[in-house]
Short mmCIF file of all heavy atoms in Angstrom, two decimals:
data_model
loop_
_atom_site.label_atom_id
_atom_site.label_comp_id
_atom_site.label_asym_id
_atom_site.label_seq_id
_atom_site.Cartn_x
_atom_site.Cartn_y
_atom_site.Cartn_z
N LEU A 118 124.57 -224.19 -26.74
CA LEU A 118 125.10 -225.51 -27.06
C LEU A 118 124.86 -226.50 -25.93
O LEU A 118 124.40 -227.63 -26.17
CB LEU A 118 126.60 -225.43 -27.37
CG LEU A 118 127.29 -226.74 -27.74
CD1 LEU A 118 126.77 -227.27 -29.08
CD2 LEU A 118 128.80 -226.56 -27.79
N THR A 119 125.13 -226.11 -24.70
CA THR A 119 124.97 -227.04 -23.58
C THR A 119 123.49 -227.35 -23.31
O THR A 119 123.16 -228.49 -22.98
CB THR A 119 125.68 -226.54 -22.31
OG1 THR A 119 125.21 -225.25 -21.97
CG2 THR A 119 127.18 -226.52 -22.50
N MET A 120 122.61 -226.38 -23.47
CA MET A 120 121.18 -226.65 -23.28
C MET A 120 120.66 -227.55 -24.40
O MET A 120 119.83 -228.44 -24.16
CB MET A 120 120.39 -225.34 -23.22
CG MET A 120 120.69 -224.53 -21.96
SD MET A 120 120.44 -225.43 -20.41
CE MET A 120 118.67 -225.65 -20.45
N PHE A 121 121.14 -227.33 -25.61
CA PHE A 121 120.76 -228.19 -26.74
C PHE A 121 121.27 -229.61 -26.47
O PHE A 121 120.53 -230.59 -26.66
CB PHE A 121 121.33 -227.62 -28.03
CG PHE A 121 121.01 -228.42 -29.26
CD1 PHE A 121 119.74 -228.41 -29.81
CD2 PHE A 121 121.99 -229.18 -29.89
CE1 PHE A 121 119.44 -229.14 -30.95
CE2 PHE A 121 121.70 -229.91 -31.04
CZ PHE A 121 120.43 -229.89 -31.57
N ALA A 122 122.51 -229.74 -26.02
CA ALA A 122 123.09 -231.06 -25.71
C ALA A 122 122.26 -231.76 -24.64
O ALA A 122 122.05 -232.98 -24.70
CB ALA A 122 124.54 -230.92 -25.27
N ARG A 123 121.78 -231.01 -23.67
CA ARG A 123 120.94 -231.60 -22.61
C ARG A 123 119.66 -232.18 -23.21
O ARG A 123 119.24 -233.28 -22.85
CB ARG A 123 120.61 -230.54 -21.57
CG ARG A 123 119.77 -231.05 -20.44
CD ARG A 123 119.48 -229.95 -19.46
NE ARG A 123 118.68 -230.48 -18.37
CZ ARG A 123 117.94 -229.74 -17.60
NH1 ARG A 123 117.90 -228.43 -17.77
NH2 ARG A 123 117.22 -230.28 -16.65
N ARG A 124 119.02 -231.44 -24.11
CA ARG A 124 117.80 -231.94 -24.75
C ARG A 124 118.09 -233.21 -25.56
O ARG A 124 117.31 -234.17 -25.53
CB ARG A 124 117.17 -230.87 -25.64
CG ARG A 124 116.57 -229.71 -24.84
CD ARG A 124 115.70 -228.78 -25.66
NE ARG A 124 116.33 -228.23 -26.86
CZ ARG A 124 117.08 -227.14 -26.90
NH1 ARG A 124 117.32 -226.46 -25.79
NH2 ARG A 124 117.59 -226.72 -28.04
N VAL A 125 119.20 -233.20 -26.27
CA VAL A 125 119.58 -234.39 -27.05
C VAL A 125 119.86 -235.56 -26.11
O VAL A 125 119.43 -236.69 -26.36
CB VAL A 125 120.79 -234.10 -27.96
CG1 VAL A 125 121.28 -235.37 -28.64
CG2 VAL A 125 120.45 -233.03 -28.99
N ALA A 126 120.55 -235.31 -25.00
CA ALA A 126 120.86 -236.38 -24.04
C ALA A 126 119.59 -236.99 -23.46
O ALA A 126 119.50 -238.22 -23.30
CB ALA A 126 121.75 -235.84 -22.92
N LYS A 127 118.60 -236.17 -23.17
CA LYS A 127 117.32 -236.68 -22.63
C LYS A 127 116.64 -237.58 -23.67
O LYS A 127 116.09 -238.63 -23.32
CB LYS A 127 116.40 -235.53 -22.24
CG LYS A 127 116.91 -234.70 -21.08
CD LYS A 127 116.81 -235.45 -19.79
CE LYS A 127 117.17 -234.55 -18.63
NZ LYS A 127 117.16 -235.27 -17.36
N ALA A 128 116.67 -237.19 -24.93
CA ALA A 128 116.10 -238.02 -25.99
C ALA A 128 116.91 -239.30 -26.16
O ALA A 128 116.34 -240.39 -26.34
CB ALA A 128 116.06 -237.23 -27.30
N LEU A 129 118.22 -239.18 -26.09
CA LEU A 129 119.11 -240.33 -26.23
C LEU A 129 118.84 -241.36 -25.13
O LEU A 129 118.77 -242.57 -25.40
CB LEU A 129 120.56 -239.85 -26.19
CG LEU A 129 121.69 -240.84 -26.36
CD1 LEU A 129 121.55 -241.66 -27.63
CD2 LEU A 129 123.03 -240.11 -26.34
N GLU A 130 118.63 -240.90 -23.91
CA GLU A 130 118.31 -241.81 -22.79
C GLU A 130 117.05 -242.62 -23.05
O GLU A 130 116.95 -243.76 -22.63
CB GLU A 130 118.10 -241.01 -21.50
CG GLU A 130 119.34 -240.54 -20.82
CD GLU A 130 119.05 -239.75 -19.56
OE1 GLU A 130 118.09 -238.95 -19.56
OE2 GLU A 130 119.78 -239.94 -18.58
N GLN A 131 116.10 -242.01 -23.71
CA GLN A 131 114.84 -242.70 -24.01
C GLN A 131 114.97 -243.64 -25.21
O GLN A 131 114.23 -244.62 -25.31
CB GLN A 131 113.75 -241.68 -24.31
CG GLN A 131 113.38 -240.82 -23.13
CD GLN A 131 112.37 -239.75 -23.54
OE1 GLN A 131 111.41 -240.04 -24.24
NE2 GLN A 131 112.61 -238.53 -23.12
N ALA A 132 115.88 -243.35 -26.11
CA ALA A 132 115.99 -244.10 -27.36
C ALA A 132 116.96 -245.28 -27.29
O ALA A 132 116.77 -246.26 -28.01
CB ALA A 132 116.42 -243.16 -28.49
N VAL A 133 117.99 -245.18 -26.46
CA VAL A 133 119.02 -246.21 -26.38
C VAL A 133 119.14 -246.66 -24.93
O VAL A 133 119.31 -245.84 -24.03
CB VAL A 133 120.38 -245.67 -26.89
CG1 VAL A 133 121.48 -246.71 -26.73
CG2 VAL A 133 120.28 -245.22 -28.34
N GLU A 134 119.05 -247.96 -24.73
CA GLU A 134 119.11 -248.49 -23.38
C GLU A 134 120.45 -248.17 -22.74
O GLU A 134 121.51 -248.47 -23.29
CB GLU A 134 118.89 -250.00 -23.40
CG GLU A 134 118.70 -250.59 -22.02
CD GLU A 134 118.31 -252.06 -22.07
OE1 GLU A 134 117.63 -252.46 -23.02
OE2 GLU A 134 118.71 -252.78 -21.14
N CYS A 135 120.39 -247.52 -21.57
CA CYS A 135 121.61 -247.15 -20.84
C CYS A 135 121.25 -246.76 -19.42
O CYS A 135 120.08 -246.52 -19.11
CB CYS A 135 122.33 -246.00 -21.55
SG CYS A 135 121.37 -244.47 -21.66
N LYS A 136 122.27 -246.66 -18.56
CA LYS A 136 122.07 -246.14 -17.20
C LYS A 136 122.11 -244.63 -17.20
O LYS A 136 121.39 -243.97 -16.47
CB LYS A 136 123.14 -246.67 -16.25
CG LYS A 136 122.92 -248.05 -15.76
CD LYS A 136 123.91 -248.37 -14.67
CE LYS A 136 123.62 -249.72 -14.06
NZ LYS A 136 124.57 -250.03 -12.99
N ARG A 137 123.02 -244.09 -18.00
CA ARG A 137 123.23 -242.65 -18.09
C ARG A 137 123.75 -242.30 -19.47
O ARG A 137 124.16 -243.16 -20.23
CB ARG A 137 124.29 -242.19 -17.08
CG ARG A 137 123.94 -242.42 -15.64
CD ARG A 137 123.93 -241.11 -14.90
NE ARG A 137 123.23 -241.22 -13.63
CZ ARG A 137 123.78 -241.38 -12.46
NH1 ARG A 137 125.09 -241.46 -12.37
NH2 ARG A 137 123.05 -241.44 -11.38
N VAL A 138 123.79 -241.01 -19.73
CA VAL A 138 124.47 -240.52 -20.92
C VAL A 138 125.72 -239.81 -20.43
O VAL A 138 125.64 -238.82 -19.69
CB VAL A 138 123.58 -239.58 -21.75
CG1 VAL A 138 124.38 -238.94 -22.88
CG2 VAL A 138 122.38 -240.34 -22.31
N GLY A 139 126.87 -240.34 -20.82
CA GLY A 139 128.14 -239.72 -20.47
C GLY A 139 128.42 -238.54 -21.38
O GLY A 139 127.96 -238.50 -22.53
N VAL A 140 129.18 -237.59 -20.86
CA VAL A 140 129.52 -236.38 -21.60
C VAL A 140 131.03 -236.23 -21.63
O VAL A 140 131.69 -236.38 -20.60
CB VAL A 140 128.91 -235.13 -20.92
CG1 VAL A 140 129.28 -233.87 -21.67
CG2 VAL A 140 127.40 -235.26 -20.79
N ALA A 141 131.55 -235.93 -22.82
CA ALA A 141 132.99 -235.69 -22.96
C ALA A 141 133.20 -234.51 -23.91
O ALA A 141 132.50 -234.40 -24.91
CB ALA A 141 133.71 -236.92 -23.48
N VAL A 142 134.13 -233.66 -23.54
CA VAL A 142 134.57 -232.58 -24.42
C VAL A 142 136.07 -232.72 -24.54
O VAL A 142 136.79 -232.49 -23.57
CB VAL A 142 134.19 -231.19 -23.85
CG1 VAL A 142 134.73 -230.09 -24.75
CG2 VAL A 142 132.69 -231.08 -23.67
N ILE A 143 136.52 -233.16 -25.71
CA ILE A 143 137.95 -233.38 -25.92
C ILE A 143 138.45 -232.36 -26.93
O ILE A 143 139.31 -231.56 -26.66
CB ILE A 143 138.22 -234.83 -26.37
CG1 ILE A 143 137.70 -235.80 -25.30
CG2 ILE A 143 139.70 -235.04 -26.64
CD1 ILE A 143 137.62 -237.23 -25.75
N GLY A 144 137.91 -232.42 -28.13
CA GLY A 144 138.16 -231.40 -29.13
C GLY A 144 139.54 -231.32 -29.73
O GLY A 144 139.97 -230.26 -30.14
N LEU A 145 140.24 -232.44 -29.81
CA LEU A 145 141.57 -232.41 -30.42
C LEU A 145 141.57 -232.88 -31.86
O LEU A 145 142.36 -232.40 -32.67
CB LEU A 145 142.54 -233.26 -29.60
CG LEU A 145 142.84 -232.75 -28.19
CD1 LEU A 145 143.74 -233.74 -27.46
CD2 LEU A 145 143.48 -231.38 -28.24
N GLU A 146 140.68 -233.80 -32.21
CA GLU A 146 140.75 -234.41 -33.53
C GLU A 146 140.07 -233.59 -34.63
O GLU A 146 140.43 -233.70 -35.79
CB GLU A 146 140.21 -235.84 -33.53
CG GLU A 146 138.75 -235.99 -33.14
CD GLU A 146 138.47 -235.97 -31.65
OE1 GLU A 146 139.38 -236.14 -30.83
OE2 GLU A 146 137.29 -235.78 -31.30
N VAL A 147 139.09 -232.77 -34.30
CA VAL A 147 138.42 -231.91 -35.27
C VAL A 147 138.43 -230.48 -34.72
O VAL A 147 137.98 -230.27 -33.59
CB VAL A 147 136.97 -232.37 -35.53
CG1 VAL A 147 136.26 -231.42 -36.50
CG2 VAL A 147 136.94 -233.80 -36.07
N PRO A 148 138.94 -229.50 -35.48
CA PRO A 148 139.02 -228.13 -34.97
C PRO A 148 137.67 -227.39 -35.03
O PRO A 148 137.53 -226.35 -35.66
CB PRO A 148 140.06 -227.48 -35.89
CG PRO A 148 139.89 -228.20 -37.19
CD PRO A 148 139.54 -229.61 -36.81
#
């Protein structure tokens, strides 16, 4: 999961203008 998320984050950085891709794991609203 974390390696997949890293690949998605790298693609996201290229697709959407930003300084960084922030990461959050909260997990309260959907089980």
